Amino acid sequence: LKTIVSDIDIPCAFGPAYEGERVRGADLHCQAGGGKTQCTELVKMAEMNEIEDGKVILDGPDVTDLKKGDTFPLGIYVQVAGREFQPDFEPILERQTHHLVNYIQSIMHIGQRDIAWVRISDAAIEKGFSIKDIGVVLHAKYHQDFGKILDKVQVTLMTNKEDVDKLTARARAEYKTRDERVEKMTDEDVEVFYSCTLCQSFAPNHVCSVSPERTGLCGAYNWMDCKASYEINPTGPNQPIEKGECIDPVLGQWKGVNDFVYKASRGAVTHYNFYSMVIDPMTTCGCCECIAAMLPSCNGVMTVNRDYAGETPCGMKFTTLAGVMGGGASSPGFVGHSKFNITQKKFIKGDGGLHRMVWMPKILKEEIKERIERYGEENGIPGFYDMIADETVGITEEEILPYLQEKGHPALSMPPIIG
Ligand code: SF4
Ligand code: ZN
């Protein structure tokens, strides 16, 4: 695992050895994303004659134009062409950005999709790092790791706000289409789930299990994506898991999954539930889009997304929650999940489902408004969207409880969340 790939023409050292390396405050030169600016990643298939292999375009200023402490918007747009290439492979390549950029010494990458975060240290700047080097790395590694399915890779890096905003709008529409490909499938429909162990370099015991109704907690891999990833690389991080005997249909536990997780976590995790955050929830790693937490006084739960930096009623901000939860352990009372998963039908079903949701940041609520409203309609709770409190109502349980009572939030009349 410690091999350094030497044939990548960038001024910084490169290889898996640098993956877990952090860029801390004092060493930070400049950064993109992380709630300060927009940072978005998109991989799209192109026609063979549309792109030029190895071409890396930087549209906008480079890091040499920035001062220490600056922030900048960043769009990483990769176009891929190949006779064997299919649009289904786009999310798999896109998700590689995380570890590949982390392989660059003195550069740190967190997150994915439209919540990526790139931190560049002083050491990288001294060595002569350019934003273009991200493109050099992606081109070289895509060929190395995915040569079987692609022939050409062209990368455009955008650092002008208008370009990044435009890319982000387009990317969000793409993410939505990808997410909804599993919309009509249920966990009962399939005999096979998929594992994802892509994040084990950061969270060694962490094993995501991805089912049609439980999209990976980073939001970047759903069941279809894992299936495609397995087709591309049968010995890779996404392995089929035979569900086997169902141990608990309400909490979502299967013997086949437990056996797999036990092995893949090297004995650290013996079992977990797909549909509960209260009882033995799935393990969480640091790249989750959201973290849900119990709010016992409100008899419900809250969730907070990475892009919300404020306080929350559970007493912890997202970053604190991610620090506590993100090491790959199963933490009863908390669970990492994707944004899309919130409105998937099995979301914390074993704890009462989305009926329990009493607080969400406004930005997240608005992002999935349509889907929350649909949930309300389908479940006989008209006006459900407005019953969910946000930071404008309050950021403590005491502050939001009167609001929930006034609105008649369904969580208040449910059985106690802790049994
Ligand atoms: Fe895979 Fe889970 Fe990491 Fe997403 S969070 S890349 S699904 S291990
Ligand atoms: Zn992760």
Side-chain angles (χ1 to χ4, degrees):
L1 188 85
K2 296 287 176 204
T3 44
I4 310 286
V5 180
S6 52
D7 52 354
I8 290 177
D9 188 20
I10 58 168
C12 302
F14 180 87
Y18 305 112
E19 189 174 9
E21 174 202 47
R22 309 254 131 198
V23 174
R24 296 188 199 282
D27 311 320
L28 177 70
H29 188 270
C30 54
Q31 57 184 326
K36 288 152 191 90
T37 58
Q38 184 60 45
C39 184
T40 300
E41 300 167 352
L42 181 66
V43 171
K44 278 303 291 174
M45 180 172 163
E47 294 301 327
M48 282 291 255
N49 56 9
E50 212 184 323
I51 58 170
E52 190 183 313
D53 185 45
K55 189 168 177 187
V56 179
I57 305 155
L58 172 59
D59 243 334
D62 203 345
V63 282
T64 40
D65 304 311
L66 301 172
K67 301 186 302 298
K68 188 169 170 76
D70 278 353
T71 59
F72 62 99
L74 178 63
I76 303 176
Y77 176 49
V78 186
Q79 291 167 285
V80 176
R83 273 175 298 273
E84 302 294 318
F85 201 76
Q86 307 171 15
D88 283 359
F89 300 159
E90 292 166 355
I92 292 113
L93 293 192
E94 195 177 287
R95 190 70 182 99
Q96 309 298 316
T97 317
H98 176 51
H99 71 267
L100 294 181
V101 174
N102 264 315
Y103 279 9
I104 310 174
Q105 186 179 21
S106 313
I107 309 289
M108 184 177 172
H109 182 286
I110 302 167
Q112 58 282 322
R113 287 190 165 187
D114 58 344
I115 53 168
W117 185 6
V118 177
R119 289 166 67 86
I120 300 167
S121 74
D122 292 325
I125 302 290
E126 278 156 28
K127 288 222 174 77
F129 176 81
S130 158
I131 308 237
K132 275 186 115 168
D133 293 329
I134 294 176
V136 174
V137 163
L138 295 179
H139 165 260
K141 287 299 288 176
Y142 278 11
H143 273 289
Q144 216 172 62
D145 299 346
F146 298 94
K148 218 173 72 187
I149 54 158
L150 56 80
D151 300 303
K152 289 182 174 184
V153 180
Q154 175 175 314
V155 185
T156 307
L157 297 144
M158 308 165 185
T159 57
N160 285 321
K161 190 174 180 300
E162 315 82 79
D163 297 336
V164 178
D165 288 347
K166 221 184 273 166
L167 177 74
T168 305
R170 182 178 163 205
R172 285 181 181 149
E174 292 286 346
Y175 306 151
K176 189 163 183 274
T177 310
R178 290 178 193 168
D179 289 344
E180 288 174 354
R181 287 191 311 150
V182 292
E183 187 83 280
K184 294 202 165 59
M185 297 178 65
T186 70
D187 288 356
E188 290 78 20
D189 284 345
V190 298
E191 285 315 311
V192 169
F193 295 161
Y194 286 92
S195 65
C196 189
T197 49
L198 208 60
C199 286
Q200 283 200 341
S201 40
F202 300 94
N205 301 330
H206 176 67
V207 186
C208 271
S209 294
V210 179
S211 70
E213 293 180 279
R214 222 249 182 217
T215 293
L217 50 80
C218 59
Y221 270 23
N222 63 30
W223 185 88
M224 288 284 220
D225 302 328
C226 292
K227 184 167 176 280
S229 164
Y230 175 65
E231 275 161 30
I232 299 171
N233 182 6
T235 57
N238 303 103
Q239 292 296 313
I241 309 176
E242 291 279 345
K243 286 186 325 192
E245 181 201 332
C246 182
I247 296 171
D248 194 323
V250 179
L251 298 176
Q253 196 182 134
W254 292 267
K255 182 159 188 316
V257 176
N258 288 349
D259 292 347
F260 186 97
V261 169
Y262 182 75
K263 258 195 236 124
S265 69
R266 295 167 203 90
V269 183
T270 54
H271 66 285
Y272 58 44
N273 294 316
F274 279 53
Y275 314 141
S276 178
M277 58 178 286
V278 179
I279 306 163
D280 303 337
M282 205 176 276
T283 60
T284 296
C285 74
C287 32
C288 54
E289 281 187 305
C290 308
I291 298 177
M294 273 196 324
L295 297 177
S297 324
C298 298
N299 203 33
V301 306
M302 56 153 274
T303 192
V304 56
N305 53 314
R306 182 180 296 278
D307 17 8
Y308 171 79
E311 297 292 343
T312 80
C314 78
M316 284 182 269
K317 293 181 183 178
F318 180 88
T319 43
T320 315
L321 282 165
V324 177
M325 240 61 65
S330 168
S331 322
F334 302 91
V335 76
H337 59 86
S338 69
K339 291 179 183 174
F340 185 71
N341 187 230
I342 300 170
T343 51
Q344 285 189 287
K345 289 198 176 68
K346 298 277 192 344
F347 178 70
I348 60 165
K349 195 76 190 144
D351 309 322
L354 195 60
H355 282 61
R356 290 279 188 193
M357 188 61 70
V358 297
W359 189 93
M360 286 164 88
K362 198 165 191 278
I363 178 181
L364 176 59
K365 225 174 106 176
E366 281 170 357
E367 187 178 327
I368 58 169
K369 180 171 184 182
E370 213 180 296
R371 297 177 54 88
I372 298 177
E373 285 177 339
R374 198 188 313 151
Y375 179 90
E377 281 157 27
E378 285 171 3
N379 289 280
I381 340 167
F384 184 54
Y385 179 81
D386 289 318
M387 295 175 184
I388 304 173
D390 58 36
E391 69 276 19
T392 63
V393 175
I395 48 163
T396 63
E397 285 197 74
E398 298 72 56
E399 282 169 2
I400 66 169
L401 186 57
Y403 177 88
L404 305 172
Q405 285 161 338
E406 181 201 313
K407 297 278 175 188
H409 193 291
L412 299 177
S413 46
M414 289 170 83
I417 188 156
I418 330 177

